[in-house]
Amino acid sequence: MITEIFSSIMGEGKYIGRRYIFIRFPKCNLNCIYCDERKNYKNRVEVEPGSGVFEEREIRDVKDIVKEVERLKTDDLFAISFTGGEPLLFDKLDELNKLLKKKGFRTHLESNGTLPERLVFTDIGSIDIKLKGHIPNYKEVYNKELESIKILYENGVDVYAKVVILSSNTVEEIEKVAKDLSEIGSILLCLQPVTPTKDIKGVSKKVIFKMMEKAGKYVDVMTTIQMHKYMKIL
Ligand SMILES: C[S@@+](CC[C@H](N)C(=O)[O-])C[C@H]1O[C@@H](n2cnc3c(N)ncnc32)[C@H](O)[C@@H]1O
Ligand SMILES: Nc1nc2[nH]cc(C(=O)O)c2c(=O)[nH]1
Ligand code: SF4
Ligand SMILES: [Mg+2]
Protein backbone atom coordinates (compact mmCIF):
# COMPACT_ATOMS: atom_id res chain seq x y z
CA MET A 1 0.00 0.00 0.00
CA ILE A 2 2.54 2.66 1.01
CA THR A 3 6.32 2.91 1.40
CA GLU A 4 6.44 5.12 4.49
CA ILE A 5 4.72 7.80 6.53
CA PHE A 6 6.82 10.24 8.54
CA SER A 7 6.80 13.77 9.96
CA SER A 8 9.56 16.13 8.88
CA ILE A 9 10.39 19.63 7.69
CA MET A 10 9.65 20.31 3.99
CA GLY A 11 13.06 20.44 2.36
CA GLU A 12 12.06 21.53 -1.16
CA GLY A 13 10.10 24.10 -3.11
CA LYS A 14 7.70 26.89 -2.22
CA TYR A 15 6.92 25.75 1.32
CA ILE A 16 10.47 24.86 2.34
CA GLY A 17 10.85 24.94 6.13
CA ARG A 18 7.20 24.12 6.90
CA ARG A 19 6.27 21.05 8.99
CA TYR A 20 4.81 18.28 6.86
CA ILE A 21 3.70 14.70 7.19
CA PHE A 22 4.95 12.78 4.13
CA ILE A 23 3.04 9.83 2.72
CA ARG A 24 5.35 8.07 0.27
CA PHE A 25 3.90 5.73 -2.34
CA PRO A 26 6.00 2.95 -3.87
CA LYS A 27 5.63 2.83 -7.62
CA CYS A 28 7.02 5.17 -10.28
CA ASN A 29 6.61 5.38 -14.06
CA LEU A 30 9.93 7.18 -14.60
CA ASN A 31 13.52 6.53 -13.64
CA CYS A 32 15.18 9.92 -13.18
CA ILE A 33 18.96 9.73 -13.20
CA TYR A 34 19.14 11.80 -9.97
CA CYS A 35 16.32 10.10 -8.02
CA ASP A 36 17.11 9.91 -4.33
CA GLU A 37 13.99 7.92 -3.37
CA ARG A 38 14.57 4.41 -4.63
CA LYS A 39 13.33 2.90 -1.37
CA ASN A 40 11.55 -0.41 -1.07
CA TYR A 41 10.24 -0.29 2.48
CA LYS A 42 6.72 -1.63 2.93
CA ASN A 43 4.27 0.14 5.23
CA ARG A 44 6.89 1.60 7.56
CA VAL A 45 5.45 4.30 9.81
CA GLU A 46 7.35 6.66 12.07
CA VAL A 47 6.80 5.82 15.75
CA GLU A 48 7.12 9.39 17.07
CA PRO A 49 6.83 12.53 14.85
CA GLY A 50 10.33 13.59 13.73
CA SER A 51 12.06 10.70 15.51
CA GLY A 52 13.17 8.94 12.33
CA VAL A 53 12.39 5.67 14.12
CA PHE A 54 9.99 3.43 12.20
CA GLU A 55 8.01 0.28 12.64
CA GLU A 56 6.10 -1.77 10.11
CA ARG A 57 2.35 -1.36 10.53
CA GLU A 58 -0.79 -2.92 9.07
CA ILE A 59 -1.95 -0.44 6.37
CA ARG A 60 -4.91 -2.13 4.71
CA ASP A 61 -6.83 0.87 3.37
CA VAL A 62 -7.10 4.66 3.21
CA LYS A 63 -8.62 4.80 6.70
CA ASP A 64 -5.47 3.19 8.14
CA ILE A 65 -3.35 5.85 6.42
CA VAL A 66 -5.50 8.64 7.88
CA LYS A 67 -5.22 7.07 11.36
CA GLU A 68 -1.41 7.21 11.15
CA VAL A 69 -1.51 10.83 9.91
CA GLU A 70 -3.71 11.83 12.87
CA ARG A 71 -1.32 10.04 15.22
CA LEU A 72 1.70 11.94 13.80
CA LYS A 73 -0.01 15.35 13.85
CA THR A 74 1.86 18.13 15.70
CA ASP A 75 0.76 21.73 16.42
CA ASP A 76 3.15 23.12 13.78
CA LEU A 77 1.80 20.87 11.02
CA PHE A 78 1.36 22.76 7.75
CA ALA A 79 0.38 20.12 5.20
CA ILE A 80 0.31 16.46 4.20
CA SER A 81 2.52 15.57 1.22
CA PHE A 82 1.57 12.82 -1.24
CA THR A 83 4.89 11.80 -2.72
CA GLY A 84 6.83 8.74 -3.79
CA GLY A 85 7.62 7.25 -6.20
CA GLU A 86 4.83 8.78 -8.25
CA PRO A 87 1.77 9.34 -5.99
CA LEU A 88 -0.67 9.55 -8.91
CA LEU A 89 -0.13 5.82 -9.45
CA PHE A 90 -1.89 5.14 -6.12
CA ASP A 91 -5.41 4.24 -7.17
CA LYS A 92 -7.11 5.53 -3.99
CA LEU A 93 -5.38 8.93 -3.90
CA ASP A 94 -8.58 10.86 -4.60
CA GLU A 95 -10.37 9.09 -1.74
CA LEU A 96 -7.41 9.75 0.60
CA ASN A 97 -7.21 13.40 -0.44
CA LYS A 98 -10.93 13.95 0.11
CA LEU A 99 -10.89 12.24 3.53
CA LEU A 100 -7.88 14.27 4.75
CA LYS A 101 -9.36 17.54 3.49
CA LYS A 102 -12.68 16.71 5.19
CA LYS A 103 -10.72 16.31 8.44
CA GLY A 104 -9.24 19.77 7.95
CA PHE A 105 -5.76 18.88 6.68
CA ARG A 106 -4.05 20.85 3.89
CA THR A 107 -2.83 18.46 1.19
CA HIS A 108 0.12 18.73 -1.21
CA LEU A 109 0.69 16.68 -4.38
CA GLU A 110 4.37 16.17 -5.26
CA SER A 111 4.21 14.78 -8.79
CA ASN A 112 6.21 14.31 -11.99
CA GLY A 113 3.15 15.61 -13.87
CA THR A 114 3.25 12.90 -16.54
CA LEU A 115 -0.25 11.59 -15.75
CA PRO A 116 -2.62 14.58 -16.21
CA GLU A 117 -5.53 12.15 -16.61
CA ARG A 118 -4.98 10.93 -13.01
CA LEU A 119 -4.65 14.31 -11.32
CA VAL A 120 -6.13 14.83 -7.84
CA PHE A 121 -7.06 18.32 -6.66
CA THR A 122 -5.00 18.93 -3.53
CA ASP A 123 -4.55 22.38 -1.95
CA ILE A 124 -0.96 22.62 -3.16
CA GLY A 125 0.63 21.04 -6.24
CA SER A 126 4.31 20.75 -7.12
CA ILE A 127 5.05 19.49 -10.64
CA ASP A 128 8.63 18.42 -11.25
CA ILE A 129 9.62 19.19 -14.84
CA LYS A 130 12.14 16.70 -16.20
CA LEU A 131 14.80 18.09 -18.55
CA LYS A 132 17.49 16.76 -20.88
CA GLY A 133 19.71 14.29 -19.09
CA HIS A 134 17.09 13.59 -16.38
CA ILE A 135 15.23 10.85 -18.33
CA PRO A 136 15.61 9.65 -21.94
CA ASN A 137 12.03 10.61 -22.95
CA TYR A 138 12.03 14.12 -21.42
CA LYS A 139 10.66 15.67 -24.64
CA GLU A 140 7.75 13.22 -24.75
CA VAL A 141 6.54 14.05 -21.22
CA TYR A 142 7.18 17.82 -21.31
CA ASN A 143 3.78 18.78 -22.70
CA LYS A 144 2.03 16.46 -20.22
CA GLU A 145 3.83 18.22 -17.36
CA LEU A 146 2.71 21.62 -18.68
CA GLU A 147 -0.82 20.24 -19.14
CA SER A 148 -0.85 19.03 -15.52
CA ILE A 149 0.23 22.47 -14.32
CA LYS A 150 -2.47 24.10 -16.44
CA ILE A 151 -5.22 21.77 -15.18
CA LEU A 152 -4.23 22.30 -11.53
CA TYR A 153 -3.91 26.07 -12.03
CA GLU A 154 -7.30 26.31 -13.71
CA ASN A 155 -8.83 24.32 -10.86
CA GLY A 156 -7.58 26.73 -8.23
CA VAL A 157 -4.74 24.56 -6.90
CA ASP A 158 -1.76 26.49 -5.48
CA VAL A 159 0.52 24.93 -8.11
CA TYR A 160 4.19 25.62 -8.77
CA ALA A 161 6.83 24.08 -10.99
CA LYS A 162 10.11 22.60 -9.77
CA VAL A 163 13.11 21.69 -11.89
CA VAL A 164 16.16 19.78 -10.72
CA ILE A 165 19.25 21.36 -12.28
CA LEU A 166 22.10 19.12 -13.39
CA SER A 167 25.49 20.51 -14.44
CA SER A 168 24.51 19.58 -18.02
CA ASN A 169 21.36 21.73 -18.01
CA THR A 170 21.52 25.12 -19.75
CA VAL A 171 20.23 28.63 -19.16
CA GLU A 172 18.36 28.38 -22.52
CA GLU A 173 16.46 25.28 -21.30
CA ILE A 174 15.33 27.14 -18.18
CA GLU A 175 14.38 30.23 -20.18
CA LYS A 176 12.10 28.08 -22.36
CA VAL A 177 10.46 26.45 -19.31
CA ALA A 178 9.88 29.90 -17.76
CA LYS A 179 8.38 31.27 -20.99
CA ASP A 180 6.10 28.24 -21.37
CA LEU A 181 4.97 28.54 -17.73
CA SER A 182 4.20 32.25 -18.17
CA GLU A 183 1.82 31.33 -20.99
CA ILE A 184 -0.21 29.24 -18.50
CA GLY A 185 -0.44 31.92 -15.82
CA SER A 186 1.44 33.16 -12.78
CA ILE A 187 3.35 29.99 -11.91
CA LEU A 188 6.25 30.07 -9.46
CA LEU A 189 9.35 28.28 -10.76
CA CYS A 190 11.60 26.58 -8.18
CA LEU A 191 15.09 25.78 -9.43
CA GLN A 192 16.51 22.92 -7.38
CA PRO A 193 20.22 22.27 -7.92
CA VAL A 194 20.78 18.53 -7.82
CA THR A 195 22.09 17.29 -4.48
CA PRO A 196 25.43 15.82 -5.53
CA THR A 197 25.92 12.08 -5.15
CA LYS A 198 29.01 9.96 -5.80
CA ASP A 199 28.06 9.80 -9.53
CA ILE A 200 26.38 13.19 -9.99
CA LYS A 201 28.35 16.39 -9.55
CA GLY A 202 26.91 19.67 -8.28
CA VAL A 203 25.92 22.76 -10.29
CA SER A 204 27.89 26.03 -10.51
CA LYS A 205 26.45 28.98 -8.59
CA LYS A 206 27.18 31.24 -11.56
CA VAL A 207 24.84 29.19 -13.75
CA ILE A 208 22.11 29.27 -11.12
CA PHE A 209 22.30 33.08 -10.98
CA LYS A 210 22.10 33.28 -14.79
CA MET A 211 19.16 30.83 -14.89
CA MET A 212 17.28 32.87 -12.29
CA GLU A 213 17.88 36.15 -14.13
CA LYS A 214 16.63 34.71 -17.44
CA ALA A 215 13.62 32.99 -15.85
CA GLY A 216 12.82 36.15 -13.90
CA LYS A 217 11.89 37.86 -17.15
CA TYR A 218 8.84 35.57 -17.37
CA VAL A 219 7.90 34.18 -13.93
CA ASP A 220 8.54 34.43 -10.22
CA VAL A 221 11.58 32.25 -9.56
CA MET A 222 13.36 30.91 -6.47
CA THR A 223 16.18 28.47 -5.83
CA THR A 224 15.80 25.77 -3.20
CA ILE A 225 18.41 23.21 -2.21
CA GLN A 226 17.21 20.07 -0.47
CA MET A 227 17.34 21.52 3.02
CA HIS A 228 16.54 18.19 4.71
CA LYS A 229 19.74 16.69 3.32
CA TYR A 230 21.82 19.43 4.94
CA MET A 231 19.87 19.11 8.20
CA LYS A 232 20.34 15.33 7.98
CA ILE A 233 16.63 14.73 8.54
CA LEU A 234 14.26 12.65 6.44
C1 LIG B 1 11.46 11.71 -5.21
S1 LIG B 1 10.37 12.67 -6.17
C2 LIG B 1 8.80 11.99 -5.75
C3 LIG B 1 7.63 12.74 -6.36
C4 LIG B 1 7.56 12.75 -7.89
N1 LIG B 1 7.86 11.46 -8.45
C5 LIG B 1 8.47 13.82 -8.48
O1 LIG B 1 9.38 13.47 -9.26
O2 LIG B 1 8.28 15.00 -8.13
C6 LIG B 1 10.31 14.21 -5.24
C7 LIG B 1 11.30 15.25 -5.61
O3 LIG B 1 12.60 14.90 -5.20
C8 LIG B 1 13.49 15.76 -5.90
N2 LIG B 1 14.76 15.07 -6.05
C9 LIG B 1 14.93 13.72 -6.16
N3 LIG B 1 16.25 13.43 -6.21
C10 LIG B 1 16.91 14.62 -6.11
C11 LIG B 1 18.28 15.00 -6.10
N4 LIG B 1 19.26 14.08 -6.20
N5 LIG B 1 18.59 16.32 -5.97
C12 LIG B 1 17.62 17.26 -5.87
N6 LIG B 1 16.29 16.97 -5.88
C13 LIG B 1 15.96 15.67 -5.99
C14 LIG B 1 12.83 16.11 -7.24
O4 LIG B 1 12.71 17.52 -7.34
C15 LIG B 1 11.44 15.50 -7.11
O5 LIG B 1 10.42 16.42 -7.50
N1 LIG C 1 12.14 16.69 4.23
C1 LIG C 1 11.75 16.28 3.02
N2 LIG C 1 11.19 17.16 2.16
C2 LIG C 1 10.77 16.69 0.96
N3 LIG C 1 10.15 17.37 -0.05
C3 LIG C 1 9.86 16.51 -1.06
C4 LIG C 1 10.32 15.24 -0.70
C5 LIG C 1 10.09 14.05 -1.53
O1 LIG C 1 10.81 13.03 -1.43
O2 LIG C 1 9.10 14.11 -2.29
C6 LIG C 1 10.91 15.34 0.58
C7 LIG C 1 11.58 14.45 1.46
O3 LIG C 1 11.84 13.27 1.15
N4 LIG C 1 11.95 14.97 2.67
S1 SF4 D 1 9.62 10.76 -11.06
FE1 SF4 D 1 10.14 11.28 -8.93
S2 SF4 D 1 10.13 9.28 -7.84
FE2 SF4 D 1 10.11 8.82 -10.03
S3 SF4 D 1 12.27 8.50 -10.55
FE3 SF4 D 1 11.83 10.67 -10.95
S4 SF4 D 1 12.35 11.77 -9.06
FE4 SF4 D 1 12.22 9.57 -8.56
MG1 LIG E 1 12.75 12.95 -0.81
Side-chain angles (χ1 to χ4, degrees), residues 27-38 84-86 111-112 128 130 135:
K27 288 185 275 180
C28 191
N29 57 328
L30 300 184
N31 184 14
C32 305
I33 192 168
Y34 54 68
C35 184
D36 63 358
E37 293 294 354
R38 292 189 174 90
E86 177 45 47
S111 172
N112 62 31
D128 204 62
K130 312 296 179 185
I135 51 173

Side-chain angles (χ1 to χ4, degrees), residues 23-60:
I23 306 172
R24 190 178 309 287
F25 296 97
K27 288 185 275 180
C28 191
N29 57 328
L30 300 184
N31 184 14
C32 305
I33 192 168
Y34 54 68
C35 184
D36 63 358
E37 293 294 354
R38 292 189 174 90
K39 293 172 172 168
N40 34 24
Y41 303 114
K42 278 202 178 25
N43 294 340
R44 78 167 192 166
V45 187
E46 198 173 36
V47 180
E48 288 294 323
S51 66
V53 176
F54 288 83
E55 61 184 16
E56 221 175 275
R57 291 210 169 187
E58 184 86 27
I59 306 277
R60 283 154 314 214

Side-chain angles (χ1 to χ4, degrees), residues 1 51 63 65 69 79 91-92 112 126 128 157 179 182 209:
M1 182 80 123
S51 66
K63 284 201 181 65
I65 297 176
V69 166
D91 55 358
K92 296 195 168 50
N112 62 31
S126 161
D128 204 62
V157 173
K179 188 167 176 306
S182 69
F209 277 115

Side-chain angles (χ1 to χ4, degrees), residues 199-218:
D199 323 318
I200 302 183
K201 61 184 188 354
V203 196
S204 97
K205 297 176 209 43
K206 221 165 101 236
V207 169
I208 293 295
F209 277 115
K210 275 270 146 277
M211 287 179 171
M212 286 192 77
E213 288 154 20
K214 285 280 183 214
K217 278 193 314 195
Y218 302 96

Side-chain angles (χ1 to χ4, degrees), residues 14 20 91 106-107 132 158 160 186 207-208:
K14 182 175 181 183
Y20 270 70
D91 55 358
R106 189 183 284 119
T107 57
K132 190 167 175 217
D158 171 5
Y160 61 92
S186 128
V207 169
I208 293 295

